[in-house]
Amino acid sequence: MKETQTVGIITLPGFNEIDSFVAARMIGSVPGLGVELVGPFDTAVSMAGIEVMTPGRWDQLSSYAAVVIGSGSQTFEHVENASMMDAIRLNLSDDQLVASQCSGAAILHRIGRLGEQAVCTDRLTAPKLEEIGVTVSLSAFRAEGRTASSGGCLASAYLAYWIIERLAGRAAADVGLSKVTPVGEELDYQARVDRLIPSLLVSSALGDE
């Protein structure tokens, strides 16, 4: 039996529910893929006051097949927390898929994962990133190599689609998308992912870069 590949979703205090829950629903619906919410504490309270368990392996982020850095109302406070940023940076590996959602791009930048590439983020975060020299792409999703970013809460579906395709293939990603697509808009969403996320052969996805 093929081993389950688990995706860790970094879920910090003040997190945005859409980022964590949409990605978790899509990825977790695909056979062979699993999801864990990960944080430095046992629980995290969202920006809307929803408390969730975060039982994932905070000190073993490198054990995940992919890591999603979610956004939230306290992201820029977290960015100034050196021990928290060190824990993320030091526990990721270069060969992992790493993706950010909205203001999570600020964490992606702080931990040195962006390099010179442009990043997608939400419109409130964009000017803050530009002030510190980060190039912002005014698009919903962007990927370069093993790093991706998305901008706007509902763009989390594109981010999750990218992760699923990289780990399990296009057909599996289509299944994941079907779990969250609005009824009657299936073709619209499929056209968007086809435009934003060019088809990629899984056999080469994790070994040729």
Side-chain angles (χ1 to χ4, degrees):
M1 181 179 294
K2 188 175 180 179
E3 183 179 353
T4 297
Q5 300 183 87
T6 304
V7 176
I9 301 179
I10 294 180
T11 305
L12 303 175
F15 74 94
N16 184 315
E17 304 86 356
I18 298 174
D19 298 350
S20 294
F21 297 160
V22 171
R25 174 70 181 99
M26 285 183 61
I27 296 167
S29 71
V30 176
L33 298 184
V35 177
E36 290 184 350
L37 301 185
V38 189
F41 312 111
D42 292 336
T43 64
V45 178
S46 77
M47 57 195 300
I50 299 172
E51 185 174 17
V52 298
M53 302 293 292
T54 54
R57 292 156 281 177
W58 176 250
D59 60 347
Q60 299 179 48
L61 290 174
S62 63
S63 67
Y64 292 104
V67 172
V68 175
I69 303 174
S71 70
S73 59
Q74 300 176 40
T75 298
F76 283 90
E77 296 175 32
H78 299 321
V79 163
E80 297 305 319
N81 185 324
S83 62
M84 184 181 288
M85 293 301 102
D86 285 345
I88 297 174
R89 180 175 60 254
L90 297 174
N91 286 296
L92 291 176
S93 66
D94 292 337
D95 61 355
Q96 280 178 288
L97 300 177
V98 178
S100 69
Q101 173 69 31
C102 291
S103 65
I107 295 176
L108 203 63
H109 170 68
R110 178 55 62 91
I111 66 174
R113 196 77 183 201
L114 275 182
E116 298 298 319
Q117 74 184 77
V119 69
C120 297
T121 190
D122 62 274
R123 293 189 182 276
L124 292 177
T125 302
K128 298 178 182 180
L129 291 180
E130 290 172 332
E131 285 178 4
I132 59 176
V134 177
T135 302
V136 174
S137 173
L138 295 179
S139 56
F141 177 84
R142 181 183 177 89
E144 185 173 320
R146 299 172 186 272
T147 303
S149 58
S150 56
C153 295
L154 298 182
S156 57
Y158 304 139
L159 184 151
Y161 188 99
W162 175 78
I163 288 175
I164 296 169
E165 186 191 35
R166 295 297 303 262
L167 297 178
R170 195 76 171 186
D174 289 340
V175 170
L177 184 65
S178 72
K179 304 298 184 180
V180 300
T181 305
V183 173
E185 298 183 5
E186 292 88 351
L187 294 180
D188 295 334
Y189 271 78
Q190 193 63 56
R192 291 171 193 159
V193 297
D194 289 343
R195 173 174 54 85
L196 290 168
I197 309 170
S199 185
L200 180 68
L201 293 176
V202 155
S203 61
S204 65
L206 301 180
D208 295 345
E209 294 172 357

